[in-house]
Amino acid sequence: MARRKTEVRFHAAVDLSVIHAAFVVATGGPCGDAKTEAALVGPTTEINTRLISASVDVRGFWSALFAAVAAKQAARDACEPALLAAGCSELQVDQTAPAIASRLDECRIAFAKRFPKLREQLQLRSGPLKDRWQTYGPGLLIQTAGQIWAAAPPDDWWPPRIDVLLVQPMRGGDGGFDSSEGRVWMEAMLTDADPQVSELFRLAYWITRVAVGRHLSATLGVPSEPSAPEDFGSGTHRVSSLPWDLGCVPVVLAAGHELEILRTDKLPIADAIRLWRLGDPAVGQVVDQWWQQWGDSKAPTPVALKALDRMLEPLRRAGEAAGGAARRGSANTTEHPRR
């Protein structure tokens, strides 16, 4: 079994906290901080209005901006490339970028008023997770790799280092990853939202997704047009036809159970999928059933994931049918949707 230790480095991500909060408010995500939401709704609405008028993909812009700031680029400097990445024409970008940069400055100022000592707060918040990771993290990764690779993972499965960017919580727990850069971001939670689904497992899950993304890029090649790596964790630089995102959940939890970090008779698979914003209860139930059938099968992981993909197919078809009905219904009504 590969035992090369991965260096996990924790960082207080102040600038990224601003963009994360603005992203949540701008894209209508559930926000647990009403005061911050109220402070940011004005400038983010103006930004979205600008984006729409310039025919720019709103969510694509915020994802590209998030990725650039995660890479330590200033938000103001990242505006123009983020706009171009989201479809803004070169003729419009010179006028649009400065206007959006000014609104982002307003977001930064408003956020600083809400959290004047954010760096110190994030460093304090990182303490519990960092301590638990130093105690249990290396063993959890070893056990997780063994689950995926039937106790014989390649020596280079885990990256030599992972940067964990900790941001101010806005959603009661959230995270994402960028496999090509060995980078993970997480909301810095002081306590676990669910005692059975520790933030330790969330971190192990995102690091596992980095390893999977690196492996897929090495074996399948890097796509010519990689997707933005944030988007609340659903994006990476390698999109696979297999449901690695869902399959990795029980793998990490089972590794924790083997190490007696997770002490429960039944793995909280559906709860983790809900808390980590990976799917609804129906998806969680399917993944739970899949793991009961395949968790002890010793089948190669791709084979097991193909079975999971088949089990998820009815939910995908139902979702597509519901989406089509919703679109047809909206075409036959004069009522405007709520913004």
Side-chain angles (χ1 to χ4, degrees):
M1 181 177 294
R3 294 184 180 274
R4 185 180 68 177
K5 186 176 180 180
T6 297
E7 179 187 7
V8 178
R9 305 183 296 191
F10 294 84
H11 308 273
V14 174
D15 292 342
L16 194 63
S17 293
V18 179
I19 302 305
H20 171 54
F23 192 137
V24 171
V25 175
T27 56
C31 181
D33 186 338
K35 290 184 178 179
T36 299
E37 184 175 17
L40 298 182
V41 69
T44 56
T45 298
E46 291 185 30
I47 290 173
N48 285 352
T49 300
R50 277 272 185 175
L51 295 173
I52 293 170
S53 65
S55 300
V56 173
D57 176 13
V58 173
R59 197 173 188 88
F61 166 79
W62 286 105
S63 289
L65 182 69
F66 188 103
V69 176
K72 297 185 178 180
Q73 189 172 0
R76 175 173 281 274
D77 296 336
C79 276
E80 183 171 328
L83 283 166
L84 292 172
C88 185
S89 72
E90 295 184 1
L91 297 176
Q92 291 179 298
V93 73
D94 287 342
Q95 290 184 331
T96 306
I100 290 180
S102 296
R103 302 293 82 76
L104 288 173
D105 284 341
E106 292 178 15
C107 291
R108 176 180 52 79
I109 293 169
F111 202 79
K113 289 181 179 178
R114 280 282 293 138
F115 306 102
K117 297 182 178 180
L118 181 57
R119 186 173 300 278
E120 293 82 354
Q121 290 176 355
L122 288 174
Q123 290 171 344
L124 176 65
R125 283 177 166 275
S126 71
L129 180 60
K130 188 175 181 180
D131 290 343
R132 280 185 289 175
W133 185 263
Q134 290 173 343
T135 301
Y136 301 109
L140 187 56
L141 292 187
I142 291 172
Q143 191 69 31
T144 298
Q147 292 273 355
I148 294 174
W149 288 95
D155 290 337
D156 61 350
W157 170 248
W158 298 114
R161 68 183 58 84
I162 290 285
D163 288 307
V164 181
L165 311 180
L166 295 171
V167 300
Q168 176 66 23
M170 290 289 123
R171 309 184 83 202
D174 204 355
F177 71 108
D178 184 345
S179 59
S180 69
E181 299 298 331
R183 185 180 297 135
V184 167
W185 68 272
M186 282 180 60
E187 290 192 348
M189 301 289 290
L190 277 173
T191 59
D192 298 325
D194 184 328
Q196 295 297 330
V197 188
S198 167
E199 291 297 293
L200 177 72
F201 297 131
R202 190 198 297 262
L203 177 54
Y205 169 79
W206 290 123
I207 293 176
T208 301
R209 295 293 306 279
V210 170
V212 169
R214 280 164 37 94
H215 176 72
L216 293 175
S217 291
T219 56
L220 302 179
V222 178
S224 59
E225 295 183 2
S227 59
E230 199 261 348
D231 203 13
F232 296 134
S234 66
T236 180
H237 284 278
R238 158 57 63 188
V239 178
S240 171
S241 60
L242 297 178
W244 283 97
D245 55 339
L246 296 171
C248 285
V249 174
V251 167
V252 170
L253 296 177
H257 189 268
E258 287 292 324
L259 296 175
E260 297 187 349
I261 306 170
L262 176 61
R263 299 185 179 184
T264 179
D265 294 335
K266 186 177 185 299
L267 297 182
I269 295 171
D271 291 335
I273 287 174
R274 173 179 55 84
L275 288 170
W276 300 347
R277 307 180 193 281
L278 302 173
D280 60 22
V283 171
Q285 184 178 11
V286 170
V287 178
D288 196 348
Q289 293 171 349
W290 167 75
W291 188 252
Q292 292 178 38
Q293 297 175 22
W294 288 85
D296 296 326
S297 69
K298 306 302 181 183
T301 300
V303 173
L305 289 176
K306 287 179 181 177
L308 174 58
D309 191 57
R310 290 192 296 270
M311 294 173 69
L312 290 167
E313 180 60 26
L315 294 182
R316 284 196 294 268
R317 288 200 302 265
E320 291 170 359
R327 287 191 294 272
R328 288 192 297 273
S330 63
N332 294 324
T333 180
T334 58
E335 182 180 349
H336 293 286
R338 295 178 61 189
R339 296 185 181 274

